[in-house]
Amino acid sequence: MNDEHTMLRDSLVGRLATHDGKTAWNALGDGGVIGLCVPEDLGGLGLLPTEAAPVMEALGELCLPTSFLETSIIATRLLKSARSIEGDKVLHAIANDGARVAVAGLDPELRGDVSARCTDKDWTISGTAKIVLDAHDATSFIVIATHDGTPMMLLLREGQNFEHRNFPTIDGRSAADIIFQKTPAILIAKDATALIANVTDEAIACLAVEAAALMQRLVRDTVDYAKQREQFGQQIASFQVVQHRLVDMNIQARRAGAIARRAMAMLPGSELERARAISAAKVTIAQAGRYIGQQAVQLHGGIGMSAELPIGRYFKRLTVIEGELGSADDHLRRFASTLAV
């Protein structure tokens, strides 16, 4: 972590501290980071996802789930890696207008039966994409659909109609199951297999950074609370068993932070090295996040899951991250497969 990284993170924390999940997006736009990865010729900063670490740390520190990962990292990287006229229009809107983009089907487990079909050089999409985050607020949609067994990337035309069923997520966001019925779409990439793998790894590295920041905040808040709460006339922080738990929580948070930084550092590396680092990070943050979240809630007592304190909100966000873009078991299998190479 360098001084510029720290300054940007601290600046964003100060800017976002008075916002909630509904207003944080506009605050990120005012901070000039929404177009972080958008090419410079389209109004963005032209940076790599590794430069997004301070933003993800700030969002984790404050537990502000926003569209930043989906729009500024995932959608931007997909469209940037497969440049097209229509895709450039969306990238320009992200950088200059703060437009939000929903991505459907990046995770194969949520892609469902979404398929693409070509008729007279025009493409249509059919099927149901599950748990598409921030679909209600999106102005554009990137859809990963299957054609002859190959994942393709398509972009929905503005104003295109389709059915969607909105519902809230446990971490305070919204999502939707989207039903396509021969919905016209624009083909961006005919074989997006390698592109999807690369962008998914970049997204997981960003999630790891956010999760590590969430854990560090939980540890800090729990230590502070243990110094205030009293039992039997003493601060519970003075009890040896509590001290041991706090130390274990701190160790897990430090592990998560270290492996998140390594995952980010390995993004430019070889495919094998990247796969190992990313899967190791996903497994670590899943295990560490669950442990720290459970301990934080338990040491706070019943108030830990109440709306009075943010502890429960942080734990819920960590729980969502645990299952996002592959479970710990999925990434354990992936990591093991890389050892056989």
Side-chain angles (χ1 to χ4, degrees):
M1 183 185 299
N2 55 39
D3 291 341
E4 291 182 357
H5 178 130
T6 303
M7 288 175 61
L8 177 56
R9 180 199 62 197
D10 293 345
S11 173
L12 285 171
V13 169
R15 179 183 293 274
L16 296 169
T18 58
H19 292 270
D20 58 20
K22 295 180 180 180
T23 61
W25 182 251
N26 291 334
L28 286 172
D30 293 339
V33 296
I34 288 178
L36 191 80
C37 296
V38 174
E40 292 183 81
D41 61 307
L42 297 175
L45 299 177
L47 301 177
L48 296 173
T50 51
E51 303 298 328
V55 185
M56 300 306 298
E57 285 183 10
L59 294 174
E61 166 73 19
L62 299 171
C63 193
L64 284 176
T66 69
S67 301
F68 182 81
L69 178 65
E70 289 72 25
T71 294
S72 301
I73 302 298
I74 296 175
T76 297
R77 293 291 291 167
L78 287 171
L79 295 174
K80 182 179 178 179
S81 299
R83 295 287 293 267
S84 66
I85 295 175
E86 294 297 327
D88 282 359
K89 291 179 181 178
V90 176
L91 288 171
H92 184 274
I94 291 172
N96 297 278
D97 305 321
R100 280 182 263 201
V101 182
V103 181
L106 185 72
D107 187 338
E109 295 294 324
L110 303 179
R111 196 174 301 158
D113 59 349
V114 178
S115 61
R117 183 179 180 183
C118 183
T119 304
D120 297 329
K121 297 183 180 180
D122 291 326
W123 288 89
T124 61
I125 306 171
S126 297
T128 302
K130 301 178 180 179
I131 316 180
V132 181
L133 290 169
D134 298 324
H136 179 72
D137 297 317
T139 56
S140 301
F141 290 79
I142 294 174
V143 181
I144 307 300
T146 303
H147 178 69
D148 291 337
T150 301
M152 309 175 70
M153 182 171 69
L154 302 102
L155 183 66
L156 293 193
R157 293 184 175 91
E158 188 174 357
Q160 192 64 53
N161 292 323
F162 47 82
E163 183 181 351
H164 53 92
R165 300 167 181 168
N166 298 317
F167 52 87
T169 60
I170 65 170
D171 59 345
R173 298 179 67 180
S174 65
D177 291 339
I178 301 180
I179 302 171
F180 303 107
Q181 295 181 336
K182 296 183 178 179
T183 305
I186 301 167
L187 179 64
I188 302 296
K190 198 166 187 178
D191 185 351
T193 305
L195 176 56
I196 291 169
N198 291 339
V199 172
T200 299
D201 280 349
E202 291 171 353
I204 293 172
C206 288
L207 281 173
V209 172
E210 180 190 358
L214 285 161
M215 293 180 220
Q216 289 163 8
R217 175 64 183 272
L218 277 175
V219 172
R220 191 166 67 250
D221 285 0
T222 305
V223 170
D224 290 343
Y225 183 74
K227 291 178 180 179
Q228 298 172 21
R229 182 182 172 188
E230 292 187 358
Q231 281 188 347
F232 311 114
Q234 300 180 64
Q235 296 175 347
I236 65 170
S238 66
F239 300 155
Q240 190 176 55
V241 65
V242 173
Q243 292 173 358
H244 287 174
R245 286 199 188 187
L246 293 173
V247 168
D248 288 342
M249 289 172 66
N250 189 44
I251 290 172
Q252 293 298 323
R254 287 178 175 272
R255 285 183 62 229
I259 205 160
R261 290 191 293 272
R262 176 168 174 76
M264 275 290 191
M266 296 306 297
L267 287 178
S270 68
E271 182 178 351
L272 184 62
E273 291 174 333
R274 187 187 72 234
R276 285 176 180 168
I278 294 298
S279 287
K282 190 61 166 65
V283 173
T284 301
I285 64 170
Q287 295 173 344
R290 175 163 294 205
Y291 177 81
I292 291 172
Q294 289 175 341
Q295 297 302 316
V297 169
Q298 190 172 63
L299 288 172
H300 276 80
I303 199 174
M305 289 302 290
S306 70
E308 186 175 344
L309 294 179
I311 301 299
R313 182 161 53 89
Y314 279 66
F315 190 18
K316 289 174 183 177
R317 178 60 186 156
L318 282 171
T319 301
V320 170
I321 291 175
E322 180 181 343
E324 198 167 353
L325 298 176
S327 66
D329 288 343
D330 293 332
H331 283 278
L332 276 173
R333 287 190 288 269
R334 184 194 188 200
F335 185 88
S337 69
T338 66
L339 299 179
V341 177

